[in-house]
Amino acid sequence: MITTKKRCGPAVMLGLAIAAISQGATAQSASCSYTVSNDWGSGFTGAINITNNGNTPINGWEVNWQYDNNALTNTWNANMSGSNPYTASNLSWNSTIQPGQTVTFGFQGNTNGSSAETPVVTGDVCGGVSSSSSSSSSSVSSSSSSSSSSSSSSSSSSSSSEPTGDGTFRVDETGNITKNGNVFPVKCSAWFGLEGQHEPPDAADNPDGAPMELYIGNMWWVDSGRDIQQTMDEITAQGINTVRLPIAPQTLDPTDPQGIGDIREGGVLKNAGPLQQENARQAMEDFIVQADQNGIEVIIDIHSCSNYVGWRAGRLDATPPYVDRDREHYDYTREGYSCGVVDDDGVVVHEYNEQLWLEDLRDIAGLSAKLGVDNIMAIDIFNEPWDYTWEEWSTLAENAYEAINEVNQDVLVMVEGISNQTKDGTEVPHGSEETNPNWGENLYPFQNDPLNIPKERLILSPHTYGPSVFVQNHFLDTSDAECADLDGDAAGDAGCNIMIDAARLEPGWQEHFGYLRDQGYAMIIGEFGGHLDWPQGAPLRDQERWGHIEPGVDANWQGALVDYMVEKNIHGCYWSTNPESGDTGGLYNHAYDPVSNPAGWGTWNGFEQRKWNLLFELWGEN
């Protein structure tokens, strides 16, 4: 695992001698190649690539190799056994290699005083003929001049898992996203649920659970007949061509109990019976394939370190106490769960860290080849990393790019911003104190410390919200001196007035992220949205605290943001397609109302047309 900032990584491969040995009558028409991606004297990283050169699929594979002096310390994307000689075999998700496709697995090792070796790779699968090449390049360029050939290895066609549909995503010189060389206008919304929902601690079934199930507007107690295909038909007819799909690490595990089984029969799932998923992993894969069949590109978003911790994480190894522990009328504070190791027997630890995260990113990067799709446009590497400094987060982001690029050189890497300070109070530069960034919005430090990721592979993705999610100080009426230093709940308790002024908002957006769009970086605001009639429609805590506010201030904020996005040619993913988000609602109306219709939870009532009109304005279609 590479953790040193700006260190040269495996994105630019050193092509070294490779070998393949025929295994007689049992050998399949495949070639096996060994490459060293980085050699720093005492250690190295490398990969073995298995390319199916035949006309029929390879189902299951195993390869072997042996060093004279080197030894492995870490591997990914394969089952490993033995200790020199080593044996690697397939995982469940990369067992099948279609004709023309390549499966890649990687490793890290020690040279033990020698140099990085290039051993012979053997195995029944290795029946083809390999070639060898060399390159002296060993660093990654962060400039836009890094072309697809320079940001990948000299044998890039064999070191990445190529999608069957040949979907190659890039960013052109002006910051436009392209697919197979054609400019792709991103029209995006989020569709959540697979990253983990929350059950109350006193629920009769699955108490305090975190089921991973996509919201589809058809709970078992309603059985409205709605399914995923109906929604895809409806949103594509409106213009949506991209969906941001949040997941959690547990979503990738097909055996996790929070993604399996009808809740009426001891499981956790609430969608109508015939539409229930086999498991969360299968549901994710099925969604990607179905989206591909409907012409929808997908951005896969690692939304949290755990399905139990949820959106509040802020870092890979998040620990309680969390920022919403005192939130009123809220049963899901998750103080009993942690992603970092804690010395508290009362806290359940779902351990997560950089190594596990990078392995998950490699897994996701391999989905294009595994599923035979060409619609995975980008991987949003981690949601709202607000609890990091820029130095910490930029190092992690660069390591994420390297891990993804080892597996798939056709997908884009989406990197969000940070916040104004970390959990421990460490201040983070964000420009003027007149405007405070939302979680994920702050890319201000980028100007002095740019990401060492090729510009043609990078999407910058700030998040920004209006009063529906959090009342910032710069939303308040400046004529009220008593509110000069307030925000959030304190401002509501003080009876502060909200006055949305685009002239105050735009300088903040510009210095937090807009200046980078001016420099030609690709940019998608990964989350924006809200209740247009806020505080009406919002959770009871907001309705009670902000009942003195005339509805419409969030609509004013969203209108100002869309105007700014149009001016800057910035894309966005509206949060969210489905309406179950308490803070924002969605592009569909929700039958649920916390006062008048609590039984309407999970039932959709057609489009919220005013939100669609905002998107049409953003897309230049009205």
Side-chain angles (χ1 to χ4, degrees), residues 205-218:
D205 300 295
N206 193 27
D208 208 30
M212 296 172 289
E213 182 180 33
L214 203 65
Y215 284 109
I216 63 172
N218 190 2

Side-chain angles (χ1 to χ4, degrees), residues 308-369:
Y308 278 82
V309 174
W311 54 269
R312 61 184 61 76
R315 59 184 299 124
L316 301 175
D317 57 351
T319 59
Y322 299 115
V323 294
D324 57 340
R325 62 189 178 276
D326 297 323
R327 202 176 187 184
E328 296 171 352
H329 307 303
Y330 192 68
D331 293 332
Y332 317 111
T333 53
R334 297 305 193 187
E335 291 298 289
Y337 298 91
S338 177
C339 296
V341 177
V342 293
D343 187 18
D344 187 340
D345 293 338
V347 175
V348 177
V349 176
H350 296 160
E351 187 173 359
Y352 206 55
N353 53 43
E354 183 180 0
Q355 180 178 343
L356 294 173
W357 174 60
L358 294 178
E359 290 174 359
D360 285 344
L361 291 173
R362 295 184 184 100
D363 185 356
I364 295 167
L367 287 171
S368 296

Side-chain angles (χ1 to χ4, degrees), residues 253-276:
D253 178 4
T255 68
D256 193 289
Q258 287 297 310
I260 300 172
D262 193 312
I263 197 167
R264 295 166 293 177
E265 300 174 0
V268 301
L269 307 177
K270 293 182 177 180
N271 281 336
L275 302 175
Q276 284 183 5

Side-chain angles (χ1 to χ4, degrees), residues 289-603:
V289 171
Q290 191 169 356
D292 188 51
Q293 295 167 347
N294 282 270
I296 298 173
E297 314 301 327
V298 176
I299 298 168
I300 302 175
D301 152 46
I302 298 186
H303 205 68
S304 180
C305 57
S306 166
N307 58 320
Y308 278 82
V309 174
W311 54 269
R312 61 184 61 76
R315 59 184 299 124
L316 301 175
D317 57 351
T319 59
Y322 299 115
V323 294
D324 57 340
R325 62 189 178 276
D326 297 323
R327 202 176 187 184
E328 296 171 352
H329 307 303
Y330 192 68
D331 293 332
Y332 317 111
T333 53
R334 297 305 193 187
E335 291 298 289
Y337 298 91
S338 177
C339 296
V341 177
V342 293
D343 187 18
D344 187 340
D345 293 338
V347 175
V348 177
V349 176
H350 296 160
E351 187 173 359
Y352 206 55
N353 53 43
E354 183 180 0
Q355 180 178 343
L356 294 173
W357 174 60
L358 294 178
E359 290 174 359
D360 285 344
L361 291 173
R362 295 184 184 100
D363 185 356
I364 295 167
L367 287 171
S368 296
K370 176 184 185 295
L371 302 177
V373 299
D374 70 350
N375 67 326
I376 299 179
M377 182 175 77
I379 301 174
D380 191 343
I381 58 176
F382 197 71
N383 184 67
E384 297 179 357
W386 61 270
D387 198 15
Y388 287 115
T389 64
W390 180 251
E391 182 178 8
E392 294 169 331
W393 176 235
S394 61
T395 299
L396 288 168
E398 291 162 1
N399 293 344
Y401 165 73
E402 292 180 350
I404 292 167
N405 195 58
E406 290 169 11
V407 179
N408 188 339
Q409 294 161 8
D410 290 336
V411 71
L412 301 177
V413 177
M414 182 176 283
V415 180
E416 300 181 23
I418 50 176
S419 188
N420 67 332
Q421 65 176 9
T422 61
K423 184 178 177 179
D424 64 6
T426 301
E427 296 290 331
V428 177
H430 63 91
S432 170
E433 294 300 321
E434 295 298 315
T435 52
N436 186 56
N438 287 269
W439 287 358
E441 182 178 325
N442 184 18
L443 288 162
Y444 178 85
F446 188 106
Q447 59 191 303
N448 295 319
D449 187 11
L451 290 169
N452 190 18
I453 298 173
K455 198 171 181 180
E456 65 165 12
R457 298 288 302 284
L458 175 64
I459 300 173
L460 297 176
S461 185
H463 289 189
T464 188
Y465 282 110
S468 180
V469 172
F470 185 80
V471 177
Q472 300 278 10
N473 176 263
H474 55 270
F475 299 162
L476 301 181
D477 186 346
T478 56
S479 66
D480 190 343
E482 294 183 2
C483 298
D485 298 319
L486 300 180
D487 62 14
D489 292 351
D493 292 339
C496 297
N497 189 35
I498 294 176
M499 182 175 292
I500 299 300
D501 181 1
R504 294 182 68 192
L505 300 174
E506 290 184 7
W509 293 329
Q510 181 65 17
E511 65 179 351
H512 296 154
F513 55 84
Y515 75 98
L516 290 167
R517 184 69 188 97
D518 294 341
Q519 295 175 21
Y521 284 90
M523 186 166 292
I524 298 176
I525 294 183
E527 291 185 19
F528 73 104
H531 290 289
L532 295 177
D533 295 321
W534 184 89
Q536 291 182 11
L540 290 176
R541 59 182 176 274
D542 277 3
Q543 294 190 41
E544 293 174 357
R545 176 168 280 114
W546 292 99
H548 61 282
I549 295 295
E550 187 72 22
V553 291
D554 205 84
N556 295 338
W557 182 91
Q558 291 186 53
L561 176 66
V562 166
D563 288 344
Y564 179 77
M565 294 169 71
V566 170
E567 176 189 347
K568 294 291 181 180
N569 190 23
I570 295 174
H571 300 302
C573 290
Y574 198 87
W575 187 276
S576 56
T577 307
N578 51 296
E580 285 85 359
S581 172
D583 288 341
T584 67
L587 293 175
Y588 285 83
N589 287 308
H590 202 190
Y592 168 81
D593 182 271
V595 177
S596 63
N597 189 22
W601 178 260
T603 302

Side-chain angles (χ1 to χ4, degrees), residues 46-69:
I48 288 176
N49 314 297
I50 307 169
T51 301
N52 184 352
N53 299 318
N55 298 317
T56 60
I58 294 172
N59 296 305
W61 49 265
E62 182 178 286
V63 296
N64 312 279
W65 72 102
Q66 185 172 358
Y67 300 107
D68 292 333
N69 297 297

